[in-house]
Amino acid sequence: MQIQRFILIAAALLPATFAQTSSDCNPLKGCFKDDPALGTTYTWDYTQNHGDAPRFDIVSSAARISYQNDGMHMSVQMKGDSPTLQSQFYIFWGKAEIVMKAGPGAGIVSSLVFQSDVLDEIDVEFIGNQPGNVQTNIFSKGNQDVHIYGANTAVADAVGTFHKYTVDWTPEQITWSIDGNVVRVLTRASLGDVYPQTPMQIKFGPWAAGDPSNAPGTIEWAGGPIDYSLAPFDMVVASLSITDYSTGATKYRYRDSSGSSGSIEITGGGNVNPPQPQPTSSAPPPPPTTTSTPPPPPPTTTSSKPPPPPPTTTSTPPPPPPPPTTTSTTTSSSKPPPPKPTTTSSQEEETTTSVKETSTSYRPTKSTSVETTRASTSSEPTERSGETTFATVVATQSSNERLATNSDVPSSGSNIGTGSSLIIAIVALFILF
């Protein structure tokens, strides 16, 4: 509904708009002339240059223009006021940037307009009593039936604050921006033949759209009738910058009455050079950095760390091999074991304790030094009916063969010399029986 209302109001105000923006020589009507080209970039700062801008003409209400510290003031004070500046040059694709404050008050419309000889048009417009809104629009060939491309965009206090408004017009699209932020884009692909496409002049200034002499639809669109008792209503322009993308051009001329971009002849060797999107990288990709990073260090060898300690074992060291002339004889279980000599040596006590810790499965709770020595040189004992039978190693070659001495038997912590006479007696009894 809001869009339909905007369309109806725009349609009603077209005659008034075109009364301000008209063409003195329209090629669609068979009038042809050379249009001077800008061919470069033009800038003017009114805050630094308090005077008329070169290459612009004041085409209306010159008495209402003044220059102050904040820029050029273009004032509406009474019926019929519409101070307007118009460029002496044309651009064929290009960009315009204006830093400005819109004129305040109901019925006051401030405008920045691109317009061609065939009345192609690109607009930025402000309603004085709607400071939070800016309108953007296009027209094609002055056709009053083509007025459906208007749009409203929010802006922060267009009346009380300076903002930079930009229109960027290329062969592919029109982009509107506020303070460098894109607010609207229209593409040629979406518009087709109605896309504005012929060399443009630049015009700007306020006008009294709410004057009672205008059509009711125009007055409504402009925010209501003007109250001149509140005048002056000033549009203030701080600076202006315009770029012609047909770089180096000196003039443009229509070759026919089609009003198409293809009918435009460019004099001066100018080429259309709108800014192109910047590539992500203009330099070739760098070679792969295969050698810039040092190779990873070799794996740490085991020599850099001390070897782990050997696992703790509770097994008794293997017994030494028996003498080659020794044979083993196992006592019968029916014979009683030999008597156990009493041992008082502290060294023997230590030996007994050591054997008990490492060979508890072979020994009763108490054992003699003889039993300990024999256990370390005999085969594994067996248990029968709760009794323990020990293997006794003896020499059997002759009765007068000597027993192993301390120097012959590997040390296992026992001492045979202490009870040697008792051992000889026990062995003699075993031989007799």
Side-chain angles (χ1 to χ4, degrees), residues 293-344:
T293 303
T300 304
T301 61
T302 56
S303 62
S304 63
K305 296 182 180 180
T312 304
T313 176
T314 58
S315 61
T316 304
T325 59
T326 303
T327 60
S328 61
T329 302
T330 305
T331 60
S332 172
S333 60
S334 60
K335 295 181 180 181
K340 301 174 183 177
T342 303
T343 303
T344 59

Side-chain angles (χ1 to χ4, degrees), residues 11 21 32 38 40 66 105 110 135 153 180 198 201 212 214 229 251 304 320-321 345 381 402:
T21 55
F32 301 96
L38 174 60
T40 185
S66 63
S110 303
Q135 296 182 6
T153 299
T198 49
Q201 285 181 293
N214 290 328
S229 68
K251 62 182 180 180
S304 63
S345 171
R402 71 175 180 88

Side-chain angles (χ1 to χ4, degrees), residues 34 39 43 45 103 119 123 130 140 150 170 178 186 197 203 205 228 241 291 320 368 370-372 421 430:
D34 291 337
T43 60
D45 188 340
L119 299 179
D123 296 341
Q130 300 173 17
S140 177
T170 73
I178 301 175
L186 281 177
Q197 56 191 283
K203 303 181 181 184
Y228 288 107
S241 177
T291 60
T368 65
V370 177
E371 290 173 349
T372 301
S421 57
F430 274 35

Side-chain angles (χ1 to χ4, degrees), residues 30-388:
C31 179
F32 301 96
K33 65 180 178 68
D34 291 337
D35 292 332
L38 174 60
T40 185
T41 297
Y42 173 94
T43 60
W44 188 258
D45 188 340
Y46 287 102
T47 65
Q48 301 297 321
N49 303 287
H50 299 162
D52 295 347
R55 306 191 69 178
F56 271 85
D57 294 327
I58 301 173
V59 297
S60 176
S61 305
R64 301 304 185 200
I65 294 176
S66 63
Y67 303 96
Q68 302 180 28
N69 290 336
D70 59 348
M72 178 177 62
H73 286 240
M74 309 175 78
S75 182
V76 174
Q77 299 182 16
M78 58 184 297
K79 180 180 174 66
D81 286 346
S82 59
T84 304
L85 266 67
Q86 176 179 287
S87 66
Q88 298 170 358
F89 53 78
Y90 288 72
I91 63 174
F92 188 31
W93 319 114
K95 178 173 67 174
E97 295 180 336
I98 187 170
V99 178
M100 59 169 282
K101 292 193 298 185
I108 302 298
V109 176
S110 303
S111 304
L112 170 67
V113 178
F114 287 48
Q115 188 183 44
S116 74
D117 292 345
V118 298
L119 299 179
D120 283 344
E121 190 173 330
I122 305 171
D123 296 341
V124 179
E125 295 182 300
F126 306 84
I127 308 301
N129 62 351
Q130 300 173 17
N133 182 63
V134 58
Q135 296 182 6
T136 58
N137 207 350
I138 68 162
F139 293 94
S140 177
K141 311 297 184 291
N143 187 345
Q144 297 185 17
D145 294 331
V146 183
H147 52 262
I148 61 174
Y149 300 106
N152 293 286
T153 299
V155 62
D157 192 9
V159 170
T161 304
F162 283 102
H163 293 284
K164 181 171 71 175
Y165 303 93
T166 304
V167 178
D168 193 357
W169 170 53
T170 73
E172 290 80 27
Q173 66 183 31
I174 303 166
T175 304
W176 288 267
S177 301
I178 301 175
D179 296 328
N181 300 310
V182 174
V183 297
R184 189 185 184 196
V185 176
L186 281 177
T187 65
R188 189 171 191 168
S190 66
L191 296 177
D193 291 340
V194 301
Y195 187 78
Q197 56 191 283
T198 49
M200 302 276 199
Q201 285 181 293
I202 307 300
K203 303 181 181 184
F204 60 92
W207 60 289
D211 190 272
S213 64
N214 290 328
T218 302
I219 296 172
E220 182 183 356
W221 167 74
I226 296 175
D227 183 356
Y228 288 107
S229 68
L230 301 176
F233 309 104
D234 288 3
M235 170 181 170
V236 184
V237 179
S239 63
L240 183 70
S241 177
I242 302 168
T243 300
D244 187 354
Y245 288 157
S246 297
T247 305
T250 58
K251 62 182 180 180
Y252 307 113
R253 186 177 182 87
Y254 292 81
R255 290 192 295 251
D256 56 39
S257 298
S258 66
S260 67
S261 58
S263 70
I264 306 304
E265 177 184 332
I266 302 175
T267 302
N271 297 316
V272 179
N273 294 309
Q276 300 297 323
Q278 295 297 320
T280 55
S281 175
S282 59
T289 57
T290 56
T291 60
S292 61
T293 303
T300 304
T301 61
T302 56
S303 62
S304 63
K305 296 182 180 180
T312 304
T313 176
T314 58
S315 61
T316 304
T325 59
T326 303
T327 60
S328 61
T329 302
T330 305
T331 60
S332 172
S333 60
S334 60
K335 295 181 180 181
K340 301 174 183 177
T342 303
T343 303
T344 59
S345 171
S346 60
Q347 184 179 1
E348 290 174 351
E349 290 291 340
E350 293 175 359
T351 301
T352 302
T353 303
S354 173
V355 174
K356 286 175 63 179
E357 289 177 355
T358 58
S359 305
T360 54
S361 62
Y362 298 140
R363 297 288 182 268
T365 303
K366 295 181 180 180
S367 62
T368 65
S369 60
V370 177
E371 290 173 349
T372 301
T373 302
R374 291 173 180 172
S376 65
T377 58
S378 64
S379 61
E380 183 176 348
T382 58
E383 295 181 2
R384 296 177 185 176
S385 304
E387 296 180 355
T388 301

